[in-house]
Amino acid sequence: MAKVFPIPLAVRQIKKASKDWATPFAIRLSKSQKPFWVLVGAILSLRTRDPVAESAFNKLMKLGKSAKSLAKLKESQIKEAIYPVAFFKEKASNLKSLSGILNDKYQGEPPEEMEELLSLRGVGRKTANMVLTLGYDKLGICVDAHVHRIVNRWGYIKTKNPDETEEALRKKLPKRYWKDWNQLLVTFGQNCCKPISPYCGSCCLKELCPKVGVKKFR
Ligand code: SF4
């Protein structure tokens, strides 16, 4: 019988190893900001490195402190503030439209239900889960490229894309891990289990991990 990857042990090991690692931008953001800004940060972070997203976020916040004030900005002002995040033109347009809708329909804050969040322009499952878990402290599993890659390398699940991974984790991962799963694995993915050439030689899980699909490592 195939060995099941020992999640509780892996979580303990990663927590121990990650004490000196930097906290991802979205997590830091959620500790000081309202859900609207968690949503903005999540959108800016899509396909964008943390330092670039954070700098864009800070510039945008200087232009307006709420959905109401962002809705009043011209799209070109938002575009200029958030450049060079990935897809900045599309994101500027989405942020302008979102701010208007949230202001008109939801008193300036994002809705607290998954389906309603997904109905908003530019909001996919990753972003919606981030708003639910980090913005509202609700149950959800936010799956991004780090989470998808790592749980597949562990052989814990076998999936082709982040949506499939979320579905598989919802069935298999004990609920007590859900809310913090993204923070744990994003930190681990940024510092150790990197997309290309992960640091398997010094990894805290090197004895446990079957390294599924890893061709080259350090
Ligand atoms: S041993 Fe390598 S592939 Fe496995 S978790 Fe560690 S860094 Fe990732």
Side-chain angles (χ1 to χ4, degrees):
M1 209 168 75
K3 255 170 83 179
V4 178
F5 189 78
I7 293 293
L9 178 57
V11 169
R12 282 201 300 276
Q13 306 272 56
I14 297 175
K15 281 189 176 162
K16 218 159 106 188
S18 66
K19 286 210 169 80
D20 298 327
W21 293 342
T23 308
F25 161 59
I27 314 293
R28 276 184 281 122
L29 184 65
S30 67
K31 306 216 187 293
S32 60
Q33 299 295 342
K34 289 187 164 178
F36 171 69
W37 288 103
V38 173
L39 172 62
V40 173
I43 290 172
L44 293 176
S45 298
L46 289 169
R47 307 260 181 131
T48 302
R49 288 186 309 110
D50 269 9
V52 178
E54 189 162 5
S55 156
F57 180 88
N58 291 335
K59 281 193 260 168
L60 194 58
M61 263 206 126
K62 282 189 189 141
L63 296 181
K65 296 271 180 251
S66 62
K68 193 174 181 178
S69 48
L70 283 203
K72 285 183 188 153
L73 295 175
K74 288 191 188 124
E75 200 174 305
S76 57
Q77 287 176 287
I78 301 179
K79 218 187 287 179
E80 200 177 310
I82 68 172
Y83 178 84
V85 299
F87 308 109
F88 68 96
K89 288 182 194 161
E90 201 182 324
K91 286 181 184 176
S93 163
N94 288 344
L95 285 170
K96 162 106 183 135
S97 137
L98 261 179
S99 304
I101 292 168
L102 295 186
N103 191 42
D104 295 345
K105 269 183 79 178
Y106 298 98
Q107 287 88 45
E109 288 297 335
E112 294 187 43
E113 299 304 327
M114 175 66 91
E115 291 312 314
E116 273 185 286
L117 281 164
L118 290 175
S119 71
L120 300 171
R121 199 169 124 188
V123 177
R125 293 200 66 87
K126 178 194 159 187
T127 305
N129 272 303
M130 197 172 273
V131 171
L132 291 178
T133 54
L134 295 180
Y136 290 118
D137 199 26
K138 286 189 159 189
L139 207 56
I141 307 182
C142 180
V143 174
D144 63 2
H146 290 293
V147 173
H148 171 62
R149 177 180 74 253
I150 294 167
V151 287
N152 274 281
R153 282 178 174 171
W154 290 349
Y156 184 62
I157 55 170
K158 192 175 173 195
T159 52
K160 292 192 191 78
N161 56 54
D163 282 354
E164 277 185 20
T165 298
E166 187 196 331
E167 207 184 315
L169 288 176
R170 280 178 182 268
K171 286 185 191 140
K172 196 166 177 184
L173 185 71
K175 281 194 171 140
R176 64 181 184 278
Y177 296 120
W178 287 20
K179 278 197 270 184
D180 297 328
W181 200 241
N182 184 266
Q183 172 175 5
L184 190 77
L185 294 206
V186 170
T187 314
F188 185 55
Q190 287 177 344
N191 291 279
C192 180
C193 194
K194 297 200 169 231
I196 301 164
S197 289
Y199 292 106
C200 299
S202 54
C203 176
C204 59
L205 305 181
K206 65 180 173 191
E207 310 297 340
L208 308 173
C209 176
K211 306 181 191 64
V212 176
V214 176
K215 292 192 176 72
K216 209 174 112 196
F217 58 83
R218 290 176 265 196

